[in-house]
Amino acid sequence: MIDALIAGRLYGIAEQRTGHAGSNYVTCKVKAMTDDGDSIMCNVIAFNETIRQTLLRLEDGASVSLSGALTPKVWTDKQGNARPALDLVAHSLLATGQATPNEQD
């Protein structure tokens, strides 16, 4: 586990879910840009009530910064290429508001 800070744009909208024991959590994806101009997807899960509610209010494309426990992963696409991915358990969040259509990629 790595304690990390990521920044990017919400990809899609956040979804609220309920665990087997009845606990609520929110999942979403954040598209972050790399130094070489590529992007990497970060799968985010949040258990904290404040973070959950904030993520649920954001629209697709909203700018966010999240910190928490990061786990790097690798997955293989349909062409057989190894691709990086990130899983983040969010502990804190900074959202800059909702994106307007011309701000989205």
Side-chain angles (χ1 to χ4, degrees), residues 19-51:
H20 295 292
S23 62
N24 292 319
Y25 61 96
V26 167
T27 61
C28 65
K29 293 185 182 295
V30 173
K31 185 177 182 181
M33 299 304 290
T34 63
D35 288 343
D36 60 4
D38 249 352
S39 62
I40 187 167
M41 296 303 287
C42 182
N43 303 303
V44 176
I45 187 167
F47 298 98
N48 175 280
E49 175 70 22
T50 304
I51 297 171

Side-chain angles (χ1 to χ4, degrees), residues 31-101:
K31 185 177 182 181
M33 299 304 290
T34 63
D35 288 343
D36 60 4
D38 249 352
S39 62
I40 187 167
M41 296 303 287
C42 182
N43 303 303
V44 176
I45 187 167
F47 298 98
N48 175 280
E49 175 70 22
T50 304
I51 297 171
R52 289 188 349 241
Q53 294 307 316
T54 303
L55 287 171
L56 290 170
R57 284 193 302 269
L58 295 175
E59 294 180 0
D60 180 32
S63 295
V64 295
S65 294
L66 296 151
S67 68
L70 182 81
T71 304
K73 298 192 172 195
V74 177
W75 62 279
T76 305
D77 65 17
K78 292 179 181 178
Q79 291 76 31
N81 301 313
R83 307 270 304 168
L86 302 170
D87 289 348
L88 181 81
V89 179
H91 297 248
S92 65
L93 163 90
L94 173 65
T96 60
Q98 299 174 344
T100 59

